[in-house]
Amino acid sequence: MEDNFKHRGLRKQLVELLKQKGIEDEGVLAAIDNVPRHLFFFDTAFLQHAYEDKAFPIGNGQTISQPYTVAFQTELLNLKPRMKVLEIGTGSGYQSAVLAQMGVKIFTIERQHQLYMKAEALLDELKIKARCFYGDGYEGRPSYAPFDRILVTCGAPEIPEGLKGQLKVGGRMVIPVGGVNQVQKMMTLDKISESEYKITEHGDFQFVPMLENTNNAR
Ligand code: SAH
């Protein structure tokens, strides 16, 4: 669990790269600078890749998102401290840790049981506050709704209706939308009123798919 000067140096370089790629939000850049991404790799054999701007396998056929993607999605969320944020797709827990650094309250759902267990244990060990749930992200977390922000970190075939309902009026969802094995369009959905939404596209990205049915995911 060590975070040494070498890791910190590599993170500074990563932050510079993200700036060059267009990330401007100082809070987001500070969060990337502060979260030791190498600890979220689960497998220490690959630590040298932790500060490259690349997605990487974390087991169970899933990936830790590319740092640029994490930064871009976090920037699109336009967070204010203490907001309630629902994340779909905990994966490694890295994005949750970045959100925690931004001072928001995190609720995060993962459908793969092993990943849920690992991420929850790791976040706990790092003393990062995030409420982790094992389940189907399509269902959201009605008992904690409404949320100021919803962040989907897997590619959804379409914007799930159930999640729209769990967003506050004035709130925003950030979600990559597109079919399996296709590129997805990054979208923001702003909830203008209980029945009006404004959807904006923000370019192409590639994510693992947002799957239905929790039963096969152990
Ligand atoms: N935010 C993660 C990215 C993980 S990749 C990180 O920072 O590492 C996306 C994750 O979404 C995968 O772990 C996958 O298992 C999960 N996922 C896919 N469909 C889901 C669903 N319906 N509900 C919850 N999680 C889902």
Side-chain angles (χ1 to χ4, degrees):
M1 282 297 154
E2 99 164 309
D3 183 31
N4 62 30
F5 76 96
K6 192 172 151 218
H7 298 128
R8 289 195 287 274
L10 289 170
R11 272 207 301 284
K12 295 256 177 282
Q13 288 175 20
L14 175 62
V15 166
E16 283 311 311
L17 182 67
L18 296 179
K19 276 190 202 167
Q20 283 167 26
K21 290 189 172 182
I23 303 297
E24 290 176 343
D25 186 317
E26 291 295 334
V28 173
L29 293 166
I32 300 276
D33 196 20
N34 282 322
V35 177
R37 186 170 185 261
H38 63 283
L39 301 183
F40 292 84
F41 263 47
F42 297 149
D43 187 339
T44 49
F46 301 107
L47 287 186
Q48 77 269 23
H49 298 292
Y51 296 107
E52 293 169 2
D53 190 22
K54 287 186 187 146
F56 207 81
I58 50 170
N60 301 73
Q62 305 305 325
T63 55
I64 178 169
S65 301
Q66 183 181 345
Y68 174 73
T69 305
V70 171
F72 189 75
Q73 286 198 293
T74 310
E75 190 165 68
L76 284 179
L77 283 172
N78 193 15
L79 297 170
K80 312 260 179 312
R82 289 179 292 285
M83 278 183 164
K84 260 167 77 179
V85 182
L86 175 68
E87 179 192 18
I88 311 299
T90 316
S92 66
Y94 175 66
Q95 170 77 72
S96 315
V98 168
L99 293 173
Q101 277 289 324
M102 308 278 300
V104 298
K105 291 188 208 127
I106 303 138
F107 303 80
T108 180
I109 309 178
E110 173 55 54
R111 72 181 282 284
Q112 295 262 7
H113 194 254
Q114 266 195 333
L115 290 177
Y116 152 75
M117 296 282 283
K118 281 198 215 173
E120 185 180 47
L122 179 60
L123 290 166
D124 196 48
E125 193 174 343
L126 297 175
K127 310 241 178 313
I128 293 167
K129 274 201 195 146
R131 303 191 64 160
C132 298
F133 301 95
Y134 167 55
D136 182 2
Y138 281 96
E139 291 171 13
R141 275 289 146 202
S143 50
Y144 294 96
F147 298 95
D148 298 288
R149 301 287 186 262
I150 297 178
L151 172 62
V152 180
T153 70
C154 34
E158 58 199 352
I159 300 178
E161 282 301 317
L163 294 183
K164 282 159 78 173
Q166 292 183 29
L167 197 59
K168 268 185 200 167
V169 171
R172 168 174 277 196
M173 187 185 321
V174 175
I175 179 167
V177 182
V180 175
N181 299 329
Q182 291 174 10
V183 292
Q184 289 98 30
K185 295 267 177 230
M186 188 65 77
M187 296 188 182
T188 50
L189 171 138
D190 293 309
K191 188 161 176 173
I192 313 291
S193 72
E194 282 303 339
S195 58
E196 288 167 287
Y197 300 92
K198 179 174 172 243
I199 294 175
T200 312
E201 283 188 16
H202 304 271
D204 291 346
F205 286 80
Q206 220 164 0
F207 284 82
V208 297
M210 181 169 179
L211 301 171
E212 291 186 63
N213 181 3
T214 307
N215 299 335
N216 299 330
R218 285 183 176 267

